[in-house]
Amino acid sequence: MSMTPAAAGPVRAAPARVTAKVLKGQKALVTGANSGIGRAAALALGEAGADVVVNYVVDDQAAEQVVAQIKSSGSDAYAHRADVSQESEVQGMFRDMMERFGTIDVLVNNAGLQRDAPFHEMTLAQWNTVIGINLTGQFLCAREAVREFLRRGVVESVSSAAGKIICMSSVHQVIPWGGHANYAASKGGIMMMMESLAQELAPHRIRVNSIAPGAIRTPINRTAWQTPEAYARLMTLIPYDRIGEPVDIARAAVWLASDDSDYVVGATLFVDGGMTLFPGFATGG
Ligand code: BGC
């Protein structure tokens, strides 16, 4: 006789399917996918078998180049220009995606920027731009994605979840950052938005998680790595002693989008070389 206690409700086993093309048959949208982390995530999702919408707001050429590279890896892709802070543009982008790809399985809420200033000099425009794109943009895109996830539900042959949202946060969702109050506030906001969404939507088998990158070699933080002096200063903050590369984040995004992470719900995956480990305490304290 089995010693396993009877389950109180329906039992769902973790999916066994693990292939190189872990996202085969899935449709993904990556915001801010023309450069940096978004670009790497879009390429990696494409390589893992997903068809990808490459969202961008400036630089059509860069976006088209990402599209071409995804197509050469065997997946479908197209570029869509939309400002994620504008409701009508976001809704237009999702309508277009429904027409062209039929649905959405994976949203990578990545678009983000910095408008740094000492706090007493920070303009309302700098504040609003950062909150508008980094936080409101994630809300607007997540809402449209969730509406489609709820409408369509789970398609077991595609994924064990009805949809996956990956919010691009930052180590600055927990590390305060002087001179960047707008940016840190936006990332702290993403943390609680993501966790609240994850809690609300898990019963619908929608998985919402975040990635919190540390210092990644992209245009947003060029001044932190482009000279040897700056790089050396940066390394005092990174126990693992190297800057992150966009592909470090892209690999985490593929995993969080795939059924390999089926039981991961409402988590923030720090991909930061140990930046959040209080490196100053390695020898002090
Ligand atoms: C910021 C970068 C910064 C990194 C670590 C990121 O979220 O966008 O400018 O280098 O955090 O401080």
Side-chain angles (χ1 to χ4, degrees):
M1 218 174 120
S2 162
M3 296 302 287
T4 315
V11 176
R12 235 180 319 122
R17 186 168 51 108
V18 180
T19 64
K21 297 273 180 193
V22 284
L23 300 178
K24 186 121 201 70
Q26 304 206 32
K27 313 294 178 189
L29 167 62
V30 183
T31 64
N34 56 316
S35 78
I37 289 172
R39 174 177 184 278
L43 294 175
L45 293 177
E47 215 158 275
D51 295 332
V52 186
V53 180
V54 174
N55 162 260
Y56 71 103
V57 74
V58 289
D59 199 349
D60 322 61
Q61 270 192 345
E64 288 305 336
Q65 209 213 344
V66 176
V67 167
Q69 212 172 316
I70 293 170
K71 285 185 167 167
S72 73
S73 73
S75 296
D76 200 3
Y78 69 88
H80 188 111
R81 207 208 73 82
D83 177 345
V84 295
S85 69
Q86 301 303 312
E87 186 175 34
S88 60
E89 294 186 32
V90 169
Q91 289 179 329
M93 175 164 70
F94 275 81
R95 266 198 308 276
D96 207 48
M97 184 173 181
M98 296 313 107
E99 273 169 31
R100 295 182 67 161
F101 281 175
T103 193
I104 179 168
D105 303 285
V106 179
L107 167 66
V108 182
N109 246 342
N110 168 77
L113 45 68
Q114 291 180 211
R115 292 288 179 270
D116 310 329
F119 191 67
H120 63 286
E121 288 169 8
M122 189 174 283
T123 64
L124 181 59
Q126 286 172 323
W127 176 269
N128 282 341
T129 299
V130 170
I131 299 295
I133 288 165
N134 295 13
L135 184 56
T136 309
Q138 291 210 11
F139 156 67
L140 289 171
C141 292
R143 192 185 58 178
E144 295 310 309
V146 166
R147 286 173 176 169
E148 171 61 9
F149 297 158
L150 292 173
R151 185 201 64 77
R152 195 206 54 233
V154 176
V155 179
E156 294 282 358
S157 57
V158 173
S159 172
S160 52
K164 282 86 53 163
I165 297 177
I166 298 155
C167 297
M168 208 52 75
S169 185
S170 164
V171 290
H172 298 296
Q173 74 170 32
V174 293
I175 301 180
W177 205 15
H180 309 75
N182 47 0
Y183 184 84
S186 75
K187 297 301 182 177
I190 287 168
M191 177 173 73
M192 283 314 293
M193 183 182 75
M194 179 281 286
E195 292 182 8
S196 302
L197 284 186
Q199 184 197 61
E200 184 175 335
L201 297 167
H204 300 279
R205 286 167 69 177
I206 295 169
R207 295 195 298 113
V208 190
N209 293 286
S210 286
I211 299 174
I216 308 300
R217 194 195 308 272
T218 72
I220 207 173
N221 59 356
R222 194 180 296 282
T223 55
W225 51 261
Q226 71 179 354
T227 66
E229 298 72 37
Y231 190 87
R233 237 182 355 261
L234 183 61
M235 286 312 108
T236 65
L237 300 174
I238 305 176
Y240 205 55
D241 204 29
R242 73 163 171 88
I243 193 168
E245 302 295 341
V247 73
D248 289 313
I249 306 304
R251 288 185 184 136
V254 169
W255 183 71
L256 282 175
S258 78
D259 285 353
D260 291 348
S261 62
D262 188 57
Y263 208 50
V264 180
V265 174
T268 296
L269 180 53
F270 285 84
V271 184
D272 67 351
M275 194 176 232
T276 39
L277 297 176
F278 296 96
F281 278 76
T283 52

